[in-house]
Amino acid sequence: MKFEDIGLNEKLVEGINAIGFKETTEVQEKAIPVILQNKDVIASAQTGTGKTAAFLLPVINKILQNNSNDRHIGALVIVPTRELAVQIDQQMEGLSYYTQVSSIAVYGGGDGSSFNREKKALSQGADVIIGTPGRLIAHLNMGYVKIDQLDCLVLDEADRMLDMGFHDDIMKIISYLPKKRQNLLFSATMPNKIRDLAKKILHEPEEISIAISKPAERIAQAAFVVYDNQKIPLAKHLLTAKKLQSVIIFCSTKTSAKQLNKELVKLGLSSKDIHSDLDQVEREHVLREFKNRKLNILVATDILSRGIDVEDIDLVINYDVPNDGEDYIHRIGRTARAAAKGVAFTFINEKEQNRFLQIEELLGAPVIKAKNPQSVGTGPEYKPRKSNGRGYKKSTKHRKKR
C-alpha cells in the first residue's frame, strides 16, 4: 500500500517521500489505519519491519489534525535505552520535516545543559517527547512537565523494558498521565508479562502480530563450532577474506569486546568497540561514524542488539552465543533490514552448545554448521544435550537475567 492512500496529511506525506519511503511495510499497513481511528493497539513485530514509523506517522498526523496553538505535550514515547530515544527522535525529525511538529529526546547521561534544555521543552510543551524511564521520572518529580493534556502514550520495545526492570517506573510515569488517552504498546515478543502489562494500561486494544520470534528469511545463517582460543583467529579470517562495508560483532561481555577490537585494530581494520564503559557522547560518536561509513566494524555488547536503525549491514557475527533465542533474533536482525539480504555467523564453544540448541529449537530448524577454515583448525564436535526428545520445538525456558 502506498502512503498516499492511507489518508495522511499532505505535509507528512512530503516528509515520507523525502526520506525515500515508497510503500508501507506489513506492520505499517495494519497499524496505521487502526491508530488513526484512535484505538488502543498492542503490536508485536520483529526488528527491521518498520514499526517505528508505524506509530510515529499516525501520532504526527493526529497532532497536525488538532492544530492547537496551546502548547502542550501531545505524545509520550517511552523507550528502554538512550540510543533508541535518539534514533526515534532522528526519524521523527525526518518524517515531520515539512511540518511544524516538534520533538525532543530525553535521556540520562548528559551534562547540566542537556537537562536544562529538556526542562525547557517539557515545561513549555513539545509535541512529542521520546524518553527513557529514569530521566522522565526525574523531570516529572519536579512538577513542571506539561503532561495534563497528553493525547497518546507509546511504549516501544516493551519486552526489553520489562527485562531491564522498568515495570514500576513505567507505572509511576503513567500515574502522572491523564486517564483519557490513546495507548500504543509495541513489543518484539509477546510473553505473559507483556500481556499482563497491556491489561493494566490498554483499553480494548486491537492486536497486531507480525512474524514473532522468527528471523527475516533473507538472512543466511551459519555457525562455527570452535574452542575459545579459536574465536579471535576465526573472526580475523572472516573479516579479511572478503571486503565488507559494514559489520557488527556482538560479544557477551565488555572484556571480550575490548580484547577482540584490540586485535582487529592491530590488523589494520577499521574497527571500534562500543559498550557501557563509554559515556553517552562517546557512544553517539562511534555510532555516527559507523552509520556514516567512516567505520566498517563495530564490536558491541548487547547495548546494540535492539533499536539501532543502521541499514545495509553486510554481516553480523555472534562472537558469543546469545543468552536466548529472542536475543539471537534481535542480534541477527541488524542485517537484512528493509528489502536487503544479510549474513549472520555464530561462534559456538563447548559450553555454549546446549544454549545454541535451545535457539535452534526456537527457530524450528538447525542452523548450518560451517567447516572451520584450515588456518583456524578443527573445533570440537557439535554434541549438545537435547532439551526434549521431540525435535526442534519452540523453547519455553525463562529468560535469564543479565
Side-chain angles (χ1 to χ4, degrees), residues 281-400:
V281 173
E282 290 172 316
R283 280 152 62 175
E284 288 179 3
H285 177 70
V286 173
L287 271 177
R288 195 158 48 245
E289 284 189 312
F290 186 63
K291 288 182 178 182
N292 295 337
R293 297 293 187 263
K294 293 179 180 178
L295 182 66
N296 300 123
I297 303 168
L298 202 57
V299 185
T301 55
D302 274 338
I303 197 170
L304 275 193
S305 64
R306 301 190 190 206
I308 296 300
D309 191 14
V310 181
E311 295 183 355
D312 302 324
I313 292 174
D314 302 316
L315 173 65
V316 168
I317 295 176
N318 289 309
Y319 187 78
D320 304 297
V321 173
N323 281 328
D324 57 38
E326 293 168 7
D327 284 342
Y328 176 85
I329 288 162
H330 286 292
R331 282 188 184 185
I332 72 173
R334 301 299 91 213
T335 187
R337 306 283 281 177
K341 295 180 181 179
V343 178
F345 293 142
T346 302
F347 299 174
I348 311 168
N349 68 17
E350 292 172 289
K351 293 179 180 178
E352 296 169 327
Q353 290 191 15
N354 291 339
R355 195 155 78 230
F356 195 73
L357 175 64
Q358 291 176 323
I359 290 171
E360 291 179 308
E361 290 172 345
L362 177 68
L363 297 174
V367 173
I368 293 169
K369 309 302 181 296
K371 185 177 179 181
N372 291 352
Q374 191 172 354
S375 61
V376 173
T378 304
E381 187 179 354
Y382 185 64
K383 293 179 66 176
R385 264 192 334 270
K386 293 261 182 184
S387 59
N388 62 54
R390 299 181 294 279
Y392 291 89
K393 301 286 185 181
K394 184 173 179 178
S395 171
T396 57
K397 71 183 185 65
H398 296 290
R399 292 172 64 92
K400 295 180 181 178

Side-chain angles (χ1 to χ4, degrees), residues 235-298:
K236 289 178 177 179
H237 175 87
L238 294 173
L239 295 170
T240 55
K242 183 179 179 181
K243 187 170 178 60
L244 299 165
Q245 288 293 316
S246 190
V247 180
I248 294 182
I249 305 173
F250 286 110
C251 299
S252 293
T253 66
K254 293 179 285 188
T255 301
S256 58
K258 292 174 184 178
Q259 182 185 10
L260 175 59
N261 182 65
K262 188 176 180 181
E263 294 296 324
L264 298 182
V265 171
K266 281 182 185 176
L267 275 179
L269 296 172
S270 173
S271 174
K272 285 189 179 179
D273 49 3
I274 185 168
H275 41 72
S276 59
D277 278 357
L278 302 182
D279 64 30
Q280 182 64 20
V281 173
E282 290 172 316
R283 280 152 62 175
E284 288 179 3
H285 177 70
V286 173
L287 271 177
R288 195 158 48 245
E289 284 189 312
F290 186 63
K291 288 182 178 182
N292 295 337
R293 297 293 187 263
K294 293 179 180 178
L295 182 66
N296 300 123
I297 303 168
L298 202 57

Side-chain angles (χ1 to χ4, degrees), residues 79 85 104-108 118 121-122 129-133 135-136 139:
V79 297
I104 186 171
V106 174
Y107 51 86
E118 294 169 3
L122 291 166
I129 303 296
I130 306 112
T132 54
R135 187 70 154 206
L136 288 169
H139 285 292

Side-chain angles (χ1 to χ4, degrees), residues 21-136:
F21 290 177
K22 300 298 181 186
E23 295 188 348
T24 57
T25 64
E26 186 178 359
V27 69
Q28 290 163 2
E29 184 174 342
K30 290 184 175 180
I32 293 174
V34 176
I35 298 172
L36 288 174
Q37 294 171 30
N38 290 321
K39 293 182 179 178
D40 283 10
V41 168
I42 178 171
S44 56
Q46 69 186 48
T47 299
T49 55
K51 61 185 174 65
T52 302
F55 63 76
L56 282 184
L57 288 171
V59 164
I60 298 169
N61 196 82
K62 188 174 180 180
I63 291 168
L64 291 170
Q65 280 182 331
N66 291 341
N67 195 27
S68 172
N69 292 323
D70 180 25
R71 299 297 292 173
H72 66 275
I73 296 169
L76 174 63
V77 183
I78 306 177
V79 297
T81 66
R82 307 165 183 174
E83 287 76 18
L84 185 53
V86 171
Q87 175 205 312
I88 293 175
D89 188 43
Q90 289 171 343
Q91 189 162 350
M92 172 83 194
E93 186 177 353
L95 293 171
S96 62
Y97 186 81
Y98 294 102
T99 76
Q100 298 298 312
V101 176
S102 62
S103 67
I104 186 171
V106 174
Y107 51 86
D111 54 20
S113 63
S114 65
F115 191 90
N116 290 332
R117 179 175 53 85
E118 294 169 3
K119 178 180 178 180
K120 183 178 179 181
L122 291 166
S123 58
Q124 294 182 358
D127 292 311
V128 180
I129 303 296
I130 306 112
T132 54
R135 187 70 154 206
L136 288 169

